[in-house]
Amino acid sequence: MLNRVILIGRLTRDPELRYTPTGVAVTQFTLAVDRPFTNQQNEREADFINVVTWRQLAETCANYLRKGRLTAVEGRIQVRNYDNNEGRRVYVTEVVADNVRFLESPNRDSGGAGAGMREDMPPSNNNRYSSPRDNQEPFSDGKPIDISDDDLPF
């Protein structure tokens, strides 16, 4: 059986960091994920998906993610339930993330959603999804590469 989810979307609000009674960090946030089609009014709709992170990942998300930030989330779907104050059973579907990638630089020039991000964020070149200028080919300088047949693994 397989339960795996990959989402790319924008945060609808700043992450909410809390701690369990035993001191384990947990962060909750919501991603707005665009649907791949438009409605009859030619407008793009979005799904709003709840995401939960735990421990060190939770603290990292709370420190560096902000409302409007483009983010990739990888994890699993979880459905839980509880009885509310009125005695009714409430079901909650959420993604428990085990990998979160920050897809935008925190100091974008446009004063848009990335404004107000912390400047102490880790460098984007550590992210798998960094900007094209960070992913330049290492041998794109036009010089020939000297490789002997002994260097090849096959």
Short mmCIF file of all heavy atoms in Angstrom, two decimals, residues 104-154:
data_model
loop_
_atom_site.label_atom_id
_atom_site.label_comp_id
_atom_site.label_asym_id
_atom_site.label_seq_id
_atom_site.Cartn_x
_atom_site.Cartn_y
_atom_site.Cartn_z
N GLU A 104 10.97 29.85 -2.96
CA GLU A 104 11.26 31.23 -3.31
C GLU A 104 12.29 31.81 -2.37
O GLU A 104 12.37 31.42 -1.21
CB GLU A 104 9.99 32.10 -3.21
CG GLU A 104 8.97 31.81 -4.25
CD GLU A 104 7.76 32.69 -4.10
OE1 GLU A 104 7.34 32.96 -2.97
OE2 GLU A 104 7.23 33.10 -5.14
N SER A 105 13.04 32.74 -2.89
CA SER A 105 13.98 33.47 -2.05
C SER A 105 13.20 34.38 -1.12
O SER A 105 12.21 35.00 -1.54
CB SER A 105 14.92 34.28 -2.93
OG SER A 105 15.72 35.10 -2.15
N PRO A 106 13.62 34.52 0.12
CA PRO A 106 12.87 35.37 1.06
C PRO A 106 12.98 36.85 0.76
O PRO A 106 12.17 37.62 1.19
CB PRO A 106 13.50 35.05 2.41
CG PRO A 106 14.87 34.59 2.08
CD PRO A 106 14.76 33.90 0.75
N ASN A 107 13.99 37.27 0.00
CA ASN A 107 14.18 38.70 -0.27
C ASN A 107 13.94 39.00 -1.73
O ASN A 107 14.81 39.50 -2.42
CB ASN A 107 15.57 39.16 0.18
CG ASN A 107 16.66 38.21 -0.24
OD1 ASN A 107 16.39 37.18 -0.85
ND2 ASN A 107 17.89 38.53 0.09
N ARG A 108 12.71 38.69 -2.18
CA ARG A 108 12.34 39.04 -3.55
C ARG A 108 12.22 40.55 -3.66
O ARG A 108 11.84 41.23 -2.73
CB ARG A 108 11.00 38.40 -3.91
CG ARG A 108 11.06 36.90 -3.95
CD ARG A 108 9.79 36.33 -4.44
NE ARG A 108 8.65 36.89 -3.72
CZ ARG A 108 7.41 36.58 -3.95
NH1 ARG A 108 7.12 35.71 -4.88
NH2 ARG A 108 6.42 37.11 -3.26
N ASP A 109 12.52 41.08 -4.85
CA ASP A 109 12.47 42.53 -5.04
C ASP A 109 11.05 43.05 -5.03
O ASP A 109 10.79 44.17 -4.62
CB ASP A 109 13.15 42.91 -6.35
CG ASP A 109 14.65 42.68 -6.27
OD1 ASP A 109 15.20 42.73 -5.16
OD2 ASP A 109 15.25 42.45 -7.34
N SER A 110 10.09 42.26 -5.53
CA SER A 110 8.71 42.73 -5.50
C SER A 110 8.22 42.71 -4.07
O SER A 110 8.49 41.79 -3.33
CB SER A 110 7.83 41.83 -6.37
OG SER A 110 7.76 40.53 -5.83
N GLY A 111 7.50 43.70 -3.67
CA GLY A 111 7.01 43.78 -2.30
C GLY A 111 5.85 42.86 -2.06
O GLY A 111 5.02 43.14 -1.22
N GLY A 112 5.76 41.76 -2.75
CA GLY A 112 4.63 40.85 -2.66
C GLY A 112 4.66 39.97 -1.44
O GLY A 112 5.10 40.37 -0.37
N ALA A 113 4.21 38.74 -1.62
CA ALA A 113 4.01 37.83 -0.51
C ALA A 113 5.31 37.48 0.20
O ALA A 113 5.31 37.13 1.36
CB ALA A 113 3.34 36.55 -1.00
N GLY A 114 6.45 37.60 -0.48
CA GLY A 114 7.70 37.24 0.14
C GLY A 114 8.25 38.33 1.04
O GLY A 114 9.19 38.12 1.79
N ALA A 115 7.66 39.52 1.00
CA ALA A 115 8.14 40.61 1.83
C ALA A 115 7.93 40.27 3.29
O ALA A 115 6.97 39.63 3.66
CB ALA A 115 7.40 41.90 1.47
N GLY A 116 8.83 40.70 4.12
CA GLY A 116 8.71 40.45 5.54
C GLY A 116 9.32 39.12 5.96
O GLY A 116 9.29 38.79 7.12
N MET A 117 9.88 38.39 5.02
CA MET A 117 10.53 37.13 5.38
C MET A 117 11.81 37.42 6.12
O MET A 117 12.45 38.43 5.90
CB MET A 117 10.84 36.32 4.11
CG MET A 117 9.63 35.75 3.43
SD MET A 117 8.84 34.48 4.37
CE MET A 117 10.14 33.28 4.45
N ARG A 118 12.23 36.53 6.95
CA ARG A 118 13.45 36.71 7.71
C ARG A 118 14.67 36.63 6.80
O ARG A 118 14.72 35.83 5.90
CB ARG A 118 13.56 35.63 8.79
CG ARG A 118 12.51 35.78 9.83
CD ARG A 118 12.73 34.76 10.88
NE ARG A 118 11.77 34.97 11.95
CZ ARG A 118 11.87 34.42 13.12
NH1 ARG A 118 12.85 33.63 13.39
NH2 ARG A 118 10.97 34.65 14.03
N GLU A 119 15.64 37.43 7.10
CA GLU A 119 16.86 37.45 6.30
C GLU A 119 17.82 36.34 6.71
O GLU A 119 18.80 36.09 6.03
CB GLU A 119 17.56 38.81 6.46
CG GLU A 119 16.74 39.96 5.92
CD GLU A 119 16.46 39.85 4.43
OE1 GLU A 119 17.35 39.40 3.70
OE2 GLU A 119 15.36 40.21 4.01
N ASP A 120 17.58 35.67 7.84
CA ASP A 120 18.51 34.64 8.31
C ASP A 120 18.14 33.26 7.79
O ASP A 120 18.59 32.25 8.32
CB ASP A 120 18.56 34.63 9.84
CG ASP A 120 17.19 34.40 10.47
OD1 ASP A 120 16.18 34.47 9.76
OD2 ASP A 120 17.13 34.14 11.69
N MET A 121 17.37 33.21 6.71
CA MET A 121 16.99 31.92 6.14
C MET A 121 18.19 31.24 5.52
O MET A 121 19.08 31.89 5.00
CB MET A 121 15.92 32.15 5.07
CG MET A 121 15.42 30.87 4.50
SD MET A 121 14.07 31.19 3.41
CE MET A 121 14.06 29.62 2.60
N PRO A 122 18.23 29.91 5.57
CA PRO A 122 19.36 29.19 4.96
C PRO A 122 19.46 29.52 3.47
O PRO A 122 18.46 29.81 2.84
CB PRO A 122 18.98 27.72 5.14
CG PRO A 122 17.91 27.67 6.14
CD PRO A 122 17.25 29.02 6.15
N PRO A 123 20.66 29.49 2.90
CA PRO A 123 20.82 29.80 1.49
C PRO A 123 20.00 28.89 0.60
O PRO A 123 19.86 27.71 0.87
CB PRO A 123 22.31 29.60 1.22
CG PRO A 123 22.95 29.36 2.54
CD PRO A 123 21.90 29.12 3.55
N SER A 124 19.45 29.45 -0.48
CA SER A 124 18.56 28.67 -1.34
C SER A 124 19.30 27.61 -2.13
O SER A 124 18.68 26.72 -2.67
CB SER A 124 17.80 29.60 -2.29
OG SER A 124 18.72 30.23 -3.14
N ASN A 125 20.64 27.67 -2.20
CA ASN A 125 21.33 26.65 -2.96
C ASN A 125 21.33 25.30 -2.26
O ASN A 125 21.72 24.31 -2.83
CB ASN A 125 22.77 27.09 -3.30
CG ASN A 125 23.58 27.38 -2.07
OD1 ASN A 125 23.12 27.21 -0.95
ND2 ASN A 125 24.80 27.83 -2.28
N ASN A 126 20.85 25.24 -1.02
CA ASN A 126 20.68 23.97 -0.33
C ASN A 126 19.35 23.32 -0.67
O ASN A 126 19.11 22.18 -0.33
CB ASN A 126 20.77 24.15 1.19
CG ASN A 126 22.16 24.52 1.62
OD1 ASN A 126 23.13 24.22 0.92
ND2 ASN A 126 22.28 25.17 2.75
N ASN A 127 18.46 24.06 -1.30
CA ASN A 127 17.15 23.53 -1.65
C ASN A 127 17.22 22.78 -2.96
O ASN A 127 17.92 23.17 -3.88
CB ASN A 127 16.13 24.68 -1.80
CG ASN A 127 15.85 25.33 -0.48
OD1 ASN A 127 16.16 24.79 0.56
ND2 ASN A 127 15.27 26.52 -0.53
N ARG A 128 16.45 21.73 -3.06
CA ARG A 128 16.41 20.96 -4.30
C ARG A 128 15.78 21.81 -5.39
O ARG A 128 16.11 21.69 -6.55
CB ARG A 128 15.59 19.70 -4.07
CG ARG A 128 15.66 18.74 -5.20
CD ARG A 128 14.91 17.48 -4.94
NE ARG A 128 14.54 17.30 -3.57
CZ ARG A 128 13.72 16.36 -3.17
NH1 ARG A 128 13.20 15.54 -4.02
NH2 ARG A 128 13.41 16.23 -1.91
N TYR A 129 14.85 22.69 -5.06
CA TYR A 129 14.14 23.50 -6.03
C TYR A 129 14.62 24.94 -5.95
O TYR A 129 13.94 25.80 -5.47
CB TYR A 129 12.63 23.47 -5.75
CG TYR A 129 12.05 22.11 -5.69
CD1 TYR A 129 11.78 21.50 -4.48
CD2 TYR A 129 11.75 21.40 -6.84
CE1 TYR A 129 11.24 20.24 -4.41
CE2 TYR A 129 11.21 20.14 -6.78
CZ TYR A 129 10.95 19.57 -5.57
OH TYR A 129 10.41 18.33 -5.51
N SER A 130 15.81 25.21 -6.39
CA SER A 130 16.32 26.57 -6.36
C SER A 130 16.14 27.21 -7.73
O SER A 130 15.79 26.56 -8.69
CB SER A 130 17.78 26.59 -5.93
OG SER A 130 18.53 25.74 -6.75
N SER A 131 16.41 28.50 -7.80
CA SER A 131 16.20 29.23 -9.04
C SER A 131 17.19 28.78 -10.10
O SER A 131 18.26 28.28 -9.79
CB SER A 131 16.32 30.72 -8.78
OG SER A 131 17.64 31.02 -8.39
N PRO A 132 16.87 28.98 -11.39
CA PRO A 132 17.75 28.53 -12.47
C PRO A 132 19.16 29.09 -12.39
O PRO A 132 20.10 28.41 -12.73
CB PRO A 132 17.03 29.00 -13.73
CG PRO A 132 15.62 29.18 -13.34
CD PRO A 132 15.63 29.54 -11.88
N ARG A 133 19.32 30.31 -11.92
CA ARG A 133 20.67 30.86 -11.86
C ARG A 133 21.52 30.13 -10.84
O ARG A 133 22.74 30.12 -10.94
CB ARG A 133 20.64 32.36 -11.57
CG ARG A 133 20.05 32.71 -10.23
CD ARG A 133 20.05 34.23 -10.05
NE ARG A 133 19.20 34.61 -8.97
CZ ARG A 133 19.51 34.50 -7.69
NH1 ARG A 133 20.65 33.99 -7.32
NH2 ARG A 133 18.67 34.88 -6.75
N ASP A 134 20.91 29.48 -9.84
CA ASP A 134 21.65 28.71 -8.86
C ASP A 134 22.00 27.33 -9.38
O ASP A 134 22.83 26.64 -8.80
CB ASP A 134 20.85 28.56 -7.56
CG ASP A 134 20.68 29.88 -6.85
OD1 ASP A 134 21.51 30.77 -7.07
OD2 ASP A 134 19.71 30.01 -6.08
N ASN A 135 21.37 26.89 -10.46
CA ASN A 135 21.57 25.55 -10.98
C ASN A 135 22.35 25.56 -12.30
O ASN A 135 22.07 24.77 -13.17
CB ASN A 135 20.22 24.86 -11.21
CG ASN A 135 19.60 24.43 -9.92
OD1 ASN A 135 20.29 24.20 -8.94
ND2 ASN A 135 18.29 24.34 -9.90
N GLN A 136 23.29 26.45 -12.46
CA GLN A 136 24.05 26.52 -13.70
C GLN A 136 24.89 25.26 -13.85
O GLN A 136 25.37 24.70 -12.87
CB GLN A 136 24.95 27.74 -13.70
CG GLN A 136 24.17 29.04 -13.77
CD GLN A 136 25.10 30.23 -13.74
OE1 GLN A 136 26.28 30.11 -13.51
NE2 GLN A 136 24.54 31.40 -13.97
N GLU A 137 25.06 24.84 -15.09
CA GLU A 137 25.87 23.67 -15.38
C GLU A 137 27.31 23.95 -14.95
O GLU A 137 27.87 25.00 -15.28
CB GLU A 137 25.82 23.35 -16.86
CG GLU A 137 24.50 22.80 -17.32
CD GLU A 137 24.22 21.43 -16.73
OE1 GLU A 137 25.16 20.63 -16.58
OE2 GLU A 137 23.05 21.17 -16.42
N PRO A 138 27.96 23.02 -14.24
CA PRO A 138 29.32 23.29 -13.77
C PRO A 138 30.35 23.33 -14.89
O PRO A 138 31.42 23.88 -14.73
CB PRO A 138 29.59 22.13 -12.82
CG PRO A 138 28.65 21.05 -13.23
CD PRO A 138 27.44 21.75 -13.78
N PHE A 139 30.03 22.74 -16.07
CA PHE A 139 30.99 22.69 -17.16
C PHE A 139 30.51 23.51 -18.35
O PHE A 139 30.82 23.22 -19.49
CB PHE A 139 31.21 21.23 -17.59
CG PHE A 139 31.67 20.37 -16.46
CD1 PHE A 139 30.84 19.40 -15.93
CD2 PHE A 139 32.93 20.54 -15.90
CE1 PHE A 139 31.26 18.60 -14.88
CE2 PHE A 139 33.35 19.75 -14.85
CZ PHE A 139 32.52 18.78 -14.33
N SER A 140 29.75 24.57 -18.09
CA SER A 140 29.18 25.36 -19.18
C SER A 140 30.13 26.45 -19.67
O SER A 140 29.72 27.31 -20.44
CB SER A 140 27.86 25.97 -18.75
OG SER A 140 28.08 26.87 -17.68
N ASP A 141 31.40 26.43 -19.27
CA ASP A 141 32.33 27.48 -19.67
C ASP A 141 32.89 27.25 -21.07
O ASP A 141 33.66 28.05 -21.57
CB ASP A 141 33.47 27.62 -18.67
CG ASP A 141 34.24 26.33 -18.46
OD1 ASP A 141 33.93 25.32 -19.14
OD2 ASP A 141 35.16 26.33 -17.62
N GLY A 142 32.54 26.13 -21.73
CA GLY A 142 32.96 25.87 -23.09
C GLY A 142 34.30 25.19 -23.23
O GLY A 142 34.72 24.85 -24.32
N LYS A 143 35.00 24.97 -22.13
CA LYS A 143 36.29 24.30 -22.19
C LYS A 143 36.09 22.79 -22.31
O LYS A 143 35.18 22.24 -21.69
CB LYS A 143 37.11 24.62 -20.95
CG LYS A 143 37.45 26.10 -20.82
CD LYS A 143 38.21 26.36 -19.55
CE LYS A 143 38.45 27.85 -19.38
NZ LYS A 143 39.06 28.15 -18.08
N PRO A 144 36.95 22.09 -23.07
CA PRO A 144 36.81 20.64 -23.18
C PRO A 144 37.15 19.96 -21.85
O PRO A 144 37.95 20.44 -21.07
CB PRO A 144 37.82 20.26 -24.26
CG PRO A 144 38.77 21.40 -24.34
CD PRO A 144 38.03 22.62 -23.89
N ILE A 145 36.52 18.81 -21.63
CA ILE A 145 36.72 18.04 -20.42
C ILE A 145 37.54 16.81 -20.78
O ILE A 145 37.18 16.06 -21.69
CB ILE A 145 35.38 17.61 -19.80
CG1 ILE A 145 34.54 18.84 -19.51
CG2 ILE A 145 35.60 16.80 -18.54
CD1 ILE A 145 33.11 18.52 -19.17
N ASP A 146 38.64 16.63 -20.09
CA ASP A 146 39.52 15.49 -20.37
C ASP A 146 39.12 14.32 -19.47
O ASP A 146 39.37 14.34 -18.26
CB ASP A 146 40.97 15.90 -20.13
CG ASP A 146 41.93 14.79 -20.52
OD1 ASP A 146 41.57 13.96 -21.39
OD2 ASP A 146 43.05 14.75 -19.96
N ILE A 147 38.48 13.31 -20.06
CA ILE A 147 38.06 12.11 -19.33
C ILE A 147 38.61 10.90 -20.05
O ILE A 147 38.38 10.72 -21.25
CB ILE A 147 36.52 12.01 -19.25
CG1 ILE A 147 35.94 13.22 -18.53
CG2 ILE A 147 36.11 10.73 -18.56
CD1 ILE A 147 34.43 13.25 -18.49
N SER A 148 39.33 10.07 -19.32
CA SER A 148 39.85 8.85 -19.93
C SER A 148 38.84 7.71 -19.73
O SER A 148 37.96 7.79 -18.88
CB SER A 148 41.19 8.47 -19.30
OG SER A 148 40.99 7.99 -18.00
N ASP A 149 38.99 6.67 -20.51
CA ASP A 149 38.10 5.52 -20.39
C ASP A 149 38.20 4.86 -19.02
O ASP A 149 37.25 4.23 -18.54
CB ASP A 149 38.39 4.49 -21.47
CG ASP A 149 37.97 4.97 -22.86
OD1 ASP A 149 37.12 5.89 -22.91
OD2 ASP A 149 38.47 4.44 -23.86
N ASP A 150 39.33 5.03 -18.34
CA ASP A 150 39.52 4.44 -17.01
C ASP A 150 38.66 5.14 -15.97
O ASP A 150 38.36 4.57 -14.91
CB ASP A 150 40.99 4.53 -16.58
CG ASP A 150 41.90 3.70 -17.47
OD1 ASP A 150 41.38 2.72 -18.08
OD2 ASP A 150 43.09 4.02 -17.55
N ASP A 151 38.24 6.38 -16.23
CA ASP A 151 37.41 7.14 -15.29
C ASP A 151 35.96 6.75 -15.35
O ASP A 151 35.19 7.05 -14.44
CB ASP A 151 37.53 8.64 -15.55
CG ASP A 151 38.93 9.17 -15.27
OD1 ASP A 151 39.62 8.56 -14.44
OD2 ASP A 151 39.30 10.19 -15.87
N LEU A 152 35.52 6.08 -16.40
CA LEU A 152 34.12 5.74 -16.59
C LEU A 152 33.79 4.44 -15.86
O LEU A 152 34.57 3.49 -15.91
CB LEU A 152 33.79 5.62 -18.07
CG LEU A 152 34.01 6.89 -18.89
CD1 LEU A 152 33.77 6.62 -20.37
CD2 LEU A 152 33.14 8.01 -18.41
N PRO A 153 32.63 4.38 -15.22
CA PRO A 153 32.28 3.18 -14.46
C PRO A 153 31.75 2.05 -15.32
O PRO A 153 31.41 0.99 -14.81
CB PRO A 153 31.19 3.69 -13.51
CG PRO A 153 30.56 4.81 -14.24
CD PRO A 153 31.66 5.45 -15.02
N PHE A 154 31.66 2.19 -16.61
CA PHE A 154 31.09 1.14 -17.47
C PHE A 154 31.99 0.85 -18.64
O PHE A 154 32.92 1.52 -18.95
CB PHE A 154 29.71 1.51 -17.97
CG PHE A 154 29.61 2.90 -18.50
CD1 PHE A 154 29.87 3.19 -19.81
CD2 PHE A 154 29.24 3.96 -17.66
CE1 PHE A 154 29.78 4.46 -20.30
CE2 PHE A 154 29.15 5.24 -18.14
CZ PHE A 154 29.41 5.51 -19.46
#
